[in-house]
Amino acid sequence: MAVSALLLTHGAGGDRDHRVLVALEDGLDLPVWRMDFPYRREGRRAPDRAPKLVAALRDEVATAAATLGVDPGGMVLGGRSMGGRICSMAVAEGLPAAGLVLLSYPLHPPGKPEKLRTEHFPGVTVPTLFVNGDRDPFGSPEELAAHVGAIEGPTTVHWLAGQRHDPKPAVDGEIVATVGAFLAGL
């Protein structure tokens, strides 16, 4: 099945207008739907707990698919940091998707490598792209390599050289090209 659309979510401190999400919408040749989680729409800074965020994502996928006139199962889901994590959790819980695009995946909180955010990885069976800075304090290349094998679906990891958790604007084009190539291969 061809990819019908890309739904993008933001990180804990961001919103739907994050520079990278906008660059993806502008640079990709398919419908892109950027969402705000409810806490952002309500003007709050602190994210809700994961179950509430997953429920909001499920609702947004249905809204986006109906609005865009696409099959929700043909949509690729993803986003930055927390948003990408929520997408991966929802897919692991059974939300249909054609793939996952995880930008700056927060493998663990900075300085707390024992608090892994990977317990749901075995439930992910769709193609998954990770695009991370190789100096990200939320997970090093070695740490991510040790855990991506738990994902049942095929995984692709792209490292942004010299970048941290919030990559610089200079690599926006590299991110767009990487995501575009991944989507074209689905």
Side-chain angles (χ1 to χ4, degrees):
M1 166 192 309
V3 174
S4 60
L6 173 63
L7 183 145
L8 293 171
T9 58
H10 57 80
D15 63 23
R16 68 183 302 276
D17 294 324
H18 185 281
R19 183 193 82 247
V20 171
L21 304 184
V22 172
L24 285 164
E25 181 176 24
D26 291 345
L28 296 173
D29 192 23
L30 81 161
V32 174
W33 184 277
R34 294 178 290 119
M35 75 169 277
D36 273 329
F37 284 108
Y39 75 94
R40 274 294 179 214
R41 291 194 296 261
E42 296 161 5
R44 293 184 288 120
R45 295 181 60 90
D48 294 305
R49 296 246 178 239
K52 187 170 182 180
L53 296 173
V54 168
L57 175 67
R58 287 180 173 278
D59 292 346
E60 193 82 11
V61 167
T63 298
T67 302
L68 297 171
V70 301
D71 173 8
M75 293 175 71
V76 172
L77 309 178
R80 278 195 34 75
S81 193
M82 176 203 76
R85 177 176 169 242
I86 295 302
C87 289
S88 66
M89 291 171 68
V91 167
E93 292 173 10
L95 180 64
L100 286 167
V101 171
L102 308 178
L103 309 170
S104 300
Y105 187 85
L107 194 65
H108 58 69
K112 298 181 179 178
E114 72 283 358
K115 294 191 181 274
L116 287 170
R117 296 167 173 155
T118 58
E119 60 283 343
H120 64 285
F121 276 12
V124 175
T125 59
V126 300
T128 302
L129 170 66
F130 290 86
V131 181
N132 279 44
D134 65 1
R135 295 184 182 170
D136 192 334
F138 287 81
S140 69
E142 297 77 20
E143 289 169 326
L144 189 61
H147 296 284
V148 295
I151 292 175
E152 291 294 319
T155 57
T156 303
V157 179
H158 181 85
W159 292 105
L160 301 166
Q163 300 299 308
R164 295 180 60 77
H165 194 62
D166 197 3
K168 301 290 185 213
V171 298
D172 288 359
E174 181 180 350
I175 294 169
V176 171
T178 301
V179 172
F182 172 76
L183 296 173
L186 295 179

